[in-house]
Amino acid sequence: KSFVPGGAIAIPFIKGDLSAASSGTVTFMDGNKVLAFGHPMFGNGEWYAPVATAYVHTVVTSMPFPFHMTSPIHEAGSLVQDRQASIMADTTLRAKMIPVNITVTTTQGKQVQKGEFHVEILDNKFLTAPVAGAAVMNAISYYLPDKEDVTARIDSTVRVRGFDPINFVDYVYANDGASSVMGSVRGLRVLVPLINNPYAPVKVDSLDVKIDLQYAINYGE
């Protein structure tokens, strides 16, 4: 439940029904300060993200690219620095994440199939949008991997603190499966201009994406 020198540390980008994290080794501890990795993660300087203890499942040995497979366990602090020499975490802090709810519904004949993904993603100026896209893409790939003609209605809602929810409805078609239409979802595309707007800081509180998909050629331009 706590970090130890030589133990594993993880930085979760996505947690919940889907998990994605970067992991490494704790190097040194001084009270509530933790140094880890012995190298940068992104080299972004000061930024904040959850850090968690981690379990190492196996180590893959390789001369050019050794790595280990791990799973985050307990959230135990927040990343505060990402420098050339190492990353640093503070165990007294906690970093906010953004809830993302993804619902996928498809109708084949009279049969209706429904799947749901509930995750939390990094709250970060540069990483929130691509990580949200990755979560939606993985949900689609899990439930609807078929490479067929698809027509989808996608309802997306972005909740920004202090403002009314922003709602979008997109009708999209693709001839190579559902995963290729996710780039058209305006609820995802709007995150970059919202978070990086030059007028005032914006806090995204949550994101909902509902995908109603049919394996059919049914679209208009």
Side-chain angles (χ1 to χ4, degrees):
K1 293 186 177 181
S2 59
F3 298 116
V4 294
I9 183 173
I11 297 89
F13 302 149
I14 307 172
K15 66 179 183 179
D17 293 339
L18 171 70
S19 177
S22 177
S23 60
T25 305
V26 175
T27 308
F28 177 76
M29 298 184 64
D30 182 11
N32 60 307
K33 303 295 192 296
V34 182
L35 294 181
F37 282 25
H39 56 78
M41 183 166 61
F42 295 121
N44 286 347
E46 181 183 351
W47 65 286
Y48 297 85
V51 294
T53 58
Y55 178 79
V56 179
H57 297 282
T58 188
V59 177
V60 179
T61 56
S62 166
M63 286 295 288
F65 186 60
F67 64 95
H68 51 265
M69 300 290 293
T70 65
S71 292
I73 302 177
H74 299 288
E75 184 176 350
S78 171
L79 180 75
V80 292
Q81 297 286 343
D82 181 6
R83 301 289 176 177
Q84 185 68 30
S86 68
I87 64 169
M88 189 182 87
D90 187 330
T91 58
T92 63
L93 301 179
R94 292 295 182 269
K96 174 184 175 291
M97 297 189 84
I98 300 172
V100 178
N101 303 298
I102 306 160
T103 305
V104 181
T105 305
T106 181
T107 304
Q108 296 181 349
K110 295 183 179 181
Q111 186 178 10
V112 178
Q113 296 178 329
K114 184 177 181 180
E116 295 184 359
F117 262 56
H118 301 284
V119 298
E120 293 180 273
I121 65 172
L122 279 179
D123 183 6
N124 179 269
K125 184 175 182 179
F126 302 106
L127 296 175
T128 293
V131 171
V136 173
M137 287 285 289
N138 276 275
I140 287 291
S141 297
Y142 180 78
Y143 287 114
L144 303 169
D146 307 82
K147 301 297 182 182
E148 301 289 346
D149 292 293
V150 293
T151 305
R153 170 182 167 142
I154 305 170
D155 295 79
S156 49
T157 301
V158 182
R159 293 179 177 84
V160 178
R161 189 172 304 172
F163 297 91
D164 292 335
I166 307 170
N167 301 300
F168 300 97
V169 180
D170 297 296
Y171 295 90
V172 293
Y173 164 80
N175 63 2
D176 57 352
S179 59
S180 67
V181 304
M182 292 304 103
S184 303
V185 179
R186 284 180 291 168
L188 297 176
R189 290 166 52 195
V190 77
L191 291 175
V192 172
L194 273 176
I195 295 172
N196 291 284
N197 83 85
Y199 307 108
V202 162
K203 283 293 181 184
V204 177
D205 282 332
S206 67
L207 172 65
D208 295 341
V209 179
K210 298 179 180 179
I211 304 157
D212 188 359
L213 185 137
Q214 294 181 349
Y215 286 101
I217 301 175
N218 177 21
Y219 70 99
E221 293 184 358

